[in-house]
Amino acid sequence: MTRASMARKYEPRQVPAKKIATSAMIASLAAEGYDTVSAPFGEALVQAARKDDRIVGLSADLSKYTDLHIFAQAMPDRFYQMGMAEQLLMSAAAGMAREGFIPIATTYAVFASRRAYDFIAMAIAEENLPVKIVCALPGLTTGYGPSHQATEDLAIFRGLPNMVLIDPCDACDVAGMVPEMLAHDGPVYARLLRGKVPTVLTRHKPDYKFQLGRAQMIREGRDVLVVSSGIMTMRALDAAERLAADNVDVAVLHVPTIKPLDVSTIVAAAREGGRLVVTAENHTVNGGLGEAVARELMLAGVHVPFRMIGLPDEFLEAGALPTLHDMYGLSVARVADQIKSWL
């Protein structure tokens, strides 16, 4: 018997086709009734840079899609286009930080967390350099499938020493996080909402102001406490209004800073009244806000009913955002239904 005749034959793997009911790929994250602000990150960065000439902007050929083009137009001599090379982007930002600049490095969240992680870890985080990594398309904010959906970015960066993590809810958070992260003397990873961004938090709490490392109660409630971050705070607030019609009173605690976590505020809120505690995040249930909150409640000896709303531990479908958010439990209706089913 020849070696050729002994060789095993393998049939090509058949992967079943998956279908989504709708075909539109991009839609607004905001519900009807919310005002929007155009490019709050870019505008806030320009304002800050006018007061501090150490601020420079770097992009990996995505300035238009991270709103950094606003900065590039206002200050072209302080803008650096690095091309489609995220490792080079992070290395250059690290070098500029060593020379006394405050670099803002922007790209998509998938590219920073997956392609450039080692460069961020070794060149930026280990050296505790003041590089601010600001990334669009976090979690399920695009319908273009796993190549664009950074559903695990917070889990990846949560384990990185020295790294601060920000997950903003709306235009108020995005604009407010800019001066605070620039003032922080160390690396920051911030999720970015770009384009026309809804204004949500001040509608529910007029005196709201982003504070790095602080969680804030946006809505009081006696039956359920939702601890949420990012766009899921917006969804939690809308779901709370729906549930109020069924006499379910929902409190919403917004946690825009994932690391360092505001443990004292979260634990104190969870201790009150024996409420059901639900975490809500636009991120996989592995390694994000939900697991962080669960850990701190256990360590503090707070034993309450606890549930998590988040993305499943799988690669997600491509399709229209409203369809996907409903499919994976992030829509207002699904959030409300899940909370009601747990009571």
Side-chain angles (χ1 to χ4, degrees), residues 29 108-110 135-142 148-151 153-154 167-168 189-194 231 282-283 311:
L29 295 169
Y108 285 165
V110 285
C135 294
L137 303 189
L140 186 54
T141 53
T142 175
H148 285 64
Q149 295 161 346
T151 58
D153 57 329
L154 296 177
D167 188 13
Y189 172 77
R191 288 175 141 199
L192 175 64
L193 303 174
R194 58 162 296 272
I231 64 168
N282 175 30
H283 184 271
L311 298 169

Side-chain angles (χ1 to χ4, degrees), residues 28-301:
S28 172
L29 295 169
E32 292 184 7
Y34 285 117
D35 294 331
T36 61
V37 176
S38 294
F41 168 67
E43 298 293 348
L45 184 60
V46 168
Q47 291 181 25
R50 286 183 176 137
K51 301 174 185 176
D52 191 338
D53 59 10
R54 297 174 300 164
I55 297 171
V56 294
L58 298 87
S59 174
D61 203 28
L62 287 170
S63 59
K64 182 179 178 182
Y65 302 99
T66 58
D67 288 345
L68 194 64
H69 69 290
I70 304 292
F71 176 86
Q73 292 166 1
M75 300 177 178
D77 57 330
R78 292 159 64 178
F79 170 71
Y80 299 87
Q81 179 58 269
M82 309 307 297
M84 291 186 287
E86 287 75 20
Q87 297 93 331
L88 177 61
L89 169 70
M90 299 305 171
S91 297
M96 297 182 82
R98 281 187 170 279
E99 294 301 314
F101 294 96
I102 303 176
I104 309 294
T106 70
T107 183
Y108 285 165
V110 285
F111 301 152
S113 58
R114 298 177 192 168
R115 293 183 183 176
Y117 177 81
D118 187 54
F119 291 79
I120 293 171
M122 294 292 97
I124 296 173
E126 186 184 21
E127 302 299 322
N128 201 28
L129 295 174
V131 177
K132 319 305 173 184
I133 303 164
V134 183
C135 294
L137 303 189
L140 186 54
T141 53
T142 175
Y144 282 101
S147 65
H148 285 64
Q149 295 161 346
T151 58
E152 76 285 27
D153 57 329
L154 296 177
I156 288 172
F157 287 123
R158 254 188 80 216
L160 195 55
N162 296 328
M163 187 64 75
V164 167
L165 305 182
I166 302 173
D167 188 13
C169 165
D170 69 348
C172 181
D173 262 351
V174 171
M177 77 181 184
V178 171
E180 297 238 351
M181 71 178 183
L182 290 170
H184 174 69
D185 188 22
V188 175
Y189 172 77
R191 288 175 141 199
L192 175 64
L193 303 174
R194 58 162 296 272
K196 292 184 177 180
V197 183
T199 299
V200 177
L201 298 171
T202 51
R203 172 178 163 180
H204 295 269
K205 185 179 181 181
D207 62 345
Y208 176 84
K209 182 180 180 181
F210 175 88
Q211 297 177 64
L212 190 65
R214 286 287 310 279
Q216 298 185 53
M217 192 69 73
I218 307 300
R219 178 189 172 105
E220 299 286 349
R222 65 181 180 275
D223 300 318
V224 181
L225 171 65
V226 177
V227 182
S228 55
S229 67
I231 64 168
M232 292 311 294
T233 293
M234 172 170 55
R235 296 290 163 81
L237 289 166
D238 290 343
E241 293 187 355
R242 288 196 181 195
L243 289 167
D246 294 326
N247 296 315
V248 178
D249 200 10
V250 178
V252 179
L253 179 64
H254 177 45
V255 186
T257 309
I258 307 301
K259 183 182 177 184
L261 195 66
D262 188 353
V263 176
S264 61
T265 298
I266 293 170
V267 169
R271 286 189 192 276
E272 292 181 11
R275 296 175 290 191
L276 168 67
V277 176
V278 178
T279 59
E281 59 189 315
N282 175 30
H283 184 271
T284 174
V285 292
N286 293 336
L289 176 68
E291 286 193 353
V293 170
R295 172 196 177 205
E296 297 302 336
L297 295 184
M298 287 295 291
L299 289 173

